Amino acid sequence: TPCARSHEMVSLKRNPQTLTRWIIESQREHAPNATGDLSVLLTSIQLACKAISNDCNKAGIYNLYGTTNLQNASNDQVKKLDLLSNDTMINSLSFTGQVALMASEENEESIKVDPSFRGRYCCVFDPLDGSSNIDANVSVGTIFGVYRCLDDSKDPTDADLLQKGTNLIAAGYCMYGAATMMILSLGFGVCGFTLDNTMGEFVLTHPSIKIPAKGKPIYSVNEGNSANWNAAITEYVRRCHNPKEGETPRSLRYIGSMVADVHRTLLYGGIFLYPADKKNPNGKLRLVYEGNPMAFLIEQAGGRAITGTERILDIQPKLIHERIPIVLGTKSMVDEVEQLYKELL
């Protein structure tokens, strides 16, 4: 009833479950003997995301649209907002006293923190995923993952960044769209928080995200690359177009921003594919700061994330900017793709 909804709104305003409060309460419940260092680190990440969100909202006003004359470590054209977002993440994390080493899509090499500020964690991030869409005001986002350094008594090396995704202690993304949302997992499920601009705080709005076991029949893939696909992906998409008798045809939804496409998949169910093809035999998306954090979230929500033949989180990274194929989403749909790889390749 309207009266009940009004009471709920008043209660939320008076007693909001903010992200900071959720982090503190989660530590108290799941790690009562923790030092609180990770809480400080996550608070700095949310601060950086608030700043990036503000920059995205004001991009048209302050002439932040458009590209620079630079290419990043992945050979992608660098947008003005890419640089600004990258600087924001690096600056916010560098002075927490909790981070020793970072890896970013925009930096060819790892980023070492000054020894006087070093902590025991390392962070990987794509500061502005989907930035090619920013000029069209399409949702973009920041992807991040956090690892514990392998040996915090020694100087950090790239080996600290090149850990398997199974070693992640936190991962998430912040999506900048009609609303700014942060999706976060600390290894005990997935929660979603929406930025309340009047308070300047992320507020818990999705307390336990589970990818639907029988989600909407949605597949997300760039069909412009179909001429270069392998037989397994070609056959899977053919089945999406031409289902068995009695089944509903699957709907294509492709935004071209991984954060936005994965966010929809996480909430509605379905499958997201960015497979290897003849032009990109090793895939296009990056394992360390895109594949692993997203795979961690999807699995924590009850889904699956594979390359086609192996679990993404089990891959041992060799390079910071290593590329992989990605297939993730509702378990049954990912299982079907995996079976086709076994049968046809």
Side-chain angles (χ1 to χ4, degrees):
T1 65
C3 189
R5 287 196 297 269
S6 177
H7 177 76
E8 184 179 351
M9 289 178 64
V10 170
S11 177
L12 183 61
K13 288 181 178 180
R14 288 179 178 173
N15 188 30
Q17 174 78 310
T18 65
L19 176 53
T20 301
R21 175 176 158 185
W22 179 87
I23 291 170
I24 294 170
E25 292 180 354
S26 295
Q27 176 184 320
R28 197 175 291 142
E29 178 182 355
H30 297 279
N33 297 319
T35 61
D37 293 349
L38 180 61
S39 299
V40 173
L41 173 54
L42 293 173
T43 298
S44 294
I45 289 176
Q46 67 163 308
L47 175 62
C49 290
K50 290 175 187 176
I52 295 170
S53 174
N54 188 59
D55 291 334
C56 290
N57 289 338
K58 301 291 179 61
I61 298 171
Y62 294 117
N63 193 29
L64 294 175
Y65 287 145
T67 62
T68 65
N69 293 320
L70 304 172
Q71 284 190 324
N72 64 18
S74 302
N75 295 319
D76 296 327
Q77 188 74 32
V78 177
K79 296 275 190 174
K80 293 178 183 178
L81 271 172
D82 284 321
L83 288 180
L84 189 57
S85 301
N86 193 47
D87 288 345
T88 299
M89 286 292 290
I90 293 172
N91 290 337
S92 185
L93 291 169
S94 293
F95 299 100
T96 62
Q98 311 304 330
V99 179
L101 195 64
M102 294 176 272
S104 168
E105 182 187 11
E106 303 303 328
N107 292 72
E108 186 171 350
E109 298 180 351
S110 56
I111 307 152
K112 287 189 176 182
V113 174
D114 186 284
S116 61
F117 290 102
R118 275 184 198 163
R120 54 180 176 167
Y121 297 102
C122 52
C123 293
V124 296
F125 51 86
D126 181 349
L128 199 65
D129 172 75
S131 60
S132 60
N133 289 317
I134 193 68
D135 293 2
N137 202 25
V138 173
S139 294
V140 293
T142 299
I143 306 172
F144 59 88
V146 180
Y147 293 93
R148 177 77 181 265
C149 291
L150 296 171
D151 186 348
D152 52 35
S153 67
K154 298 180 180 178
D155 285 342
T157 68
D158 283 1
D160 293 294
L161 298 168
L162 299 175
Q163 298 185 55
K164 292 182 179 181
T166 48
N167 290 353
L168 279 163
I169 59 174
Y173 62 80
C174 192
M175 186 177 70
Y176 315 114
T180 294
M181 285 196 67
M182 180 171 287
I183 307 300
L184 177 65
S185 176
L186 303 182
F188 43 83
V190 181
C191 289
F193 304 82
T194 302
L195 182 62
D196 184 334
N197 289 307
T198 60
M199 291 195 300
E201 293 284 354
F202 284 100
V203 176
L204 181 65
T205 52
H206 297 67
S208 182
I209 298 175
K210 294 291 184 183
I211 188 167
K214 292 185 178 180
K216 292 187 177 181
I218 294 173
Y219 71 103
S220 181
V221 66
N222 182 0
E223 291 206 30
N225 294 327
S226 60
N228 296 310
W229 287 342
N230 61 40
I233 298 299
T234 299
E235 172 59 17
Y236 182 77
V237 174
R238 186 199 67 78
R239 292 183 183 183
C240 291
H241 294 168
N242 303 285
K244 295 178 183 178
E245 185 175 350
E247 292 183 352
T248 303
R250 293 176 180 173
S251 301
L252 173 65
R253 298 286 186 272
Y254 184 69
I255 299 169
S257 168
M258 186 188 190
V259 165
D261 281 313
V262 171
H263 186 70
R264 182 197 58 248
T265 304
L266 194 62
L267 295 184
Y268 295 172
I271 190 168
F272 169 82
L273 309 100
Y274 211 120
D277 57 37
K278 293 175 183 176
K279 292 192 298 182
N280 300 286
N282 296 319
K284 187 79 182 290
L285 298 178
R286 275 65 54 147
L287 169 62
V288 171
Y289 45 81
E290 291 177 323
N292 274 337
M294 289 303 202
F296 186 80
L297 289 170
I298 289 292
E299 288 199 4
Q300 284 291 315
R304 287 194 70 200
I306 64 173
T307 63
T309 58
E310 59 184 324
R311 182 190 182 205
I312 289 173
L313 294 181
D314 286 336
I315 300 172
Q316 175 59 59
K318 300 179 180 65
L319 302 167
I320 289 175
H321 302 290
E322 180 178 346
R323 297 176 187 265
I324 58 161
I326 290 180
V327 178
L328 58 79
T330 297
K331 184 180 182 299
S332 60
M333 298 176 78
V334 176
D335 288 348
E336 184 178 354
V337 174
E338 184 179 48
Q339 185 60 36
L340 286 171
Y341 267 82
K342 292 177 180 178
E343 293 175 358
L344 300 178
L345 298 178

